[in-house]
Amino acid sequence: RVPLRACLRASSPGHPASRPGASPSASAIARPPTKIRGVPRFGQRVVCASAPPGSLADMQVTLVSVDVTPGDEEDFASESIANALASVEEPDNCRFDVLRAVEDPSKFLLVEIYKTESGPAAHKETDHYAQWRENVQDMMATPRSARKYVPVYPWPGLWGTAAASRRARVPDSSAAAAAADDSELIEKASTFLTLDASAADADSLGAAYANADALGAGFDIDSLIDSFGDTKVITHVHVSCVPGTENAFAEASTANAASSVLEPGNLRFDVLNAADDPRAFLLVEVYDSPEAAAAHKQTPHYLEWRKEVQDMMAEPRKAITYVARFPEDPGAWKMRLSEA
């Protein structure tokens, strides 16, 4: 049985070891074939996986930070939501999220993800982008800043498309069809997930969720619920690695993420590597409730990750919590297979 992180070394184009100049020895590790197929069950731990075909290196991930003038927050949010609604319909778009910081409502973050480098360029030629830029230019307290990232996880084929990011809820009359579609996606996903769990692992995970209310006692839940009643917990964890530990951190974090997405309350768990600094990582953790986010901290895979990476961090990691202004529907956040 090969541990997940061993399967992932340089197997993904987004992995630091796959970049130009990386050690050739890392790419010699082959990914074993799937051994067990079946629907992932709560309590199972991902041990080995083979990523579906595709190229993370082609993807363009840009995070745009905006400081909004006090008093203009809602107008900025409205303009940005209108832009995002149109942007997710662009053929190359994967995601276009509008986030607002919990601690400072004047700080917004736009998460723009495209399948290829032509996507962002085409986006800037659209009428909706031009309209957004014109309408919000006087709402910004300072010029907006952008930082590009290289995706490490999810693997190719798990980022979804514009259609997968639409907000509309499934009408009741279509619920049966939607359930059938979801079953098909789970079956497809099982072709590249190899799962393994001991009874102790399952019991430990189950206990963590059974005690979620107690674990969440330290959370100020009200501060995480905006005027739209959004209970999702969106946390961006910024990490700066000690030089030379980048690959090991990517491997450990991918193993943790691949297990975390199987937690019942998880919606996403992305691992991103800054394009301008290979030592800088961003973990995007999205849970459907504060209780689910708290329960994650008690899972065996999280505890193992924390222990493994503690000496890889050049400084304490920094977590920023956001509220989703777009999309709001949890179904638009859930990691799923691409349609293309």
Side-chain angles (χ1 to χ4, degrees):
R1 188 175 67 183
V2 183
L4 174 62
R5 60 181 55 87
C7 306
L8 296 172
R9 292 193 182 107
S11 64
S12 166
H15 192 287
S18 68
R19 296 180 181 176
S23 171
S25 60
S27 62
I29 299 177
R31 288 172 288 171
T34 299
K35 295 187 298 182
I36 302 173
R37 295 188 179 185
V39 176
R41 298 194 308 274
F42 174 52
Q44 289 186 308
R45 176 170 51 89
V46 176
V47 175
C48 182
S50 179
S55 177
L56 290 178
D58 292 335
M59 292 182 66
Q60 305 293 305
V61 180
T62 305
L63 273 60
V64 180
S65 299
V66 183
D67 286 332
V68 177
T69 303
D72 287 333
E73 293 91 349
E74 284 306 312
D75 288 339
F76 179 84
S78 296
E79 294 291 345
S80 298
I81 291 170
N83 179 47
L85 276 164
S87 298
V88 296
E89 303 303 331
E90 297 169 19
D92 204 58
N93 182 263
C94 290
R95 296 198 62 81
F96 206 107
D97 305 335
V98 180
L99 309 180
R100 192 197 74 196
V102 169
E103 293 187 359
D104 186 347
S106 69
K107 294 187 181 298
F108 284 78
L109 187 69
L110 309 180
V111 181
E112 309 173 9
I113 304 178
Y114 287 86
K115 290 184 288 186
T116 67
E117 62 182 359
S118 64
H123 167 68
K124 289 183 169 56
E125 298 296 324
T126 61
D127 291 339
H128 53 267
Y129 169 76
Q131 188 68 54
W132 173 83
R133 185 178 59 184
E134 178 181 351
N135 291 351
V136 303
Q137 61 182 349
D138 294 332
M139 301 179 189
M140 299 184 186
T142 58
R144 62 187 182 276
S145 61
R147 191 173 195 185
K148 297 183 182 297
Y149 287 85
V150 176
V152 178
Y153 181 87
W155 295 303
L158 282 172
W159 287 88
T161 63
S165 298
R166 291 176 186 149
R167 289 73 43 215
R169 294 182 180 275
V170 179
D172 291 342
S173 60
S174 302
D181 289 343
D182 286 346
S183 296
E184 182 179 359
L185 290 180
I186 291 174
E187 179 61 25
K188 288 181 179 178
S190 71
T191 64
F192 60 85
L193 284 177
T194 298
L195 305 170
D196 178 72
S198 67
D201 287 336
D203 290 344
S204 179
L205 283 166
Y209 278 86
N211 295 323
D213 289 339
L215 295 171
F219 279 77
D220 182 4
I221 298 177
D222 290 339
S223 71
L224 298 173
I225 302 176
D226 70 352
S227 59
F228 294 91
D230 185 10
T231 60
K232 291 188 296 297
V233 178
I234 302 170
T235 306
H236 285 198
V237 181
H238 295 264
V239 178
S240 179
C241 289
V242 174
T245 66
E246 299 92 337
N247 292 347
F249 181 84
E251 292 157 10
S253 297
T254 300
N256 177 50
S259 293
S260 297
V261 297
L262 298 180
E263 297 169 23
N266 180 269
L267 297 176
R268 297 198 66 81
F269 208 111
D270 303 344
V271 180
L272 307 175
N273 193 199
D276 60 352
D277 182 358
R279 298 182 303 113
F281 285 84
L282 175 62
L283 309 181
V284 180
E285 308 175 10
V286 185
Y287 284 85
D288 63 11
S289 69
E291 292 80 7
H296 165 69
K297 299 292 177 60
Q298 304 299 315
T299 58
H301 48 270
Y302 168 77
L303 296 175
E304 180 182 355
W305 172 84
R306 187 179 64 180
K307 179 180 179 181
E308 185 171 356
V309 303
Q310 62 182 353
D311 293 332
M312 301 179 191
M313 298 185 186
E315 58 191 41
R317 59 190 182 275
K318 178 182 179 182
I320 303 176
T321 304
Y322 293 93
V323 167
R325 297 306 306 267
F326 177 87
E328 290 185 287
D329 185 356
W333 285 89
K334 184 65 177 176
M335 189 183 79
R336 65 185 71 194
L337 292 178
S338 298
E339 297 174 354

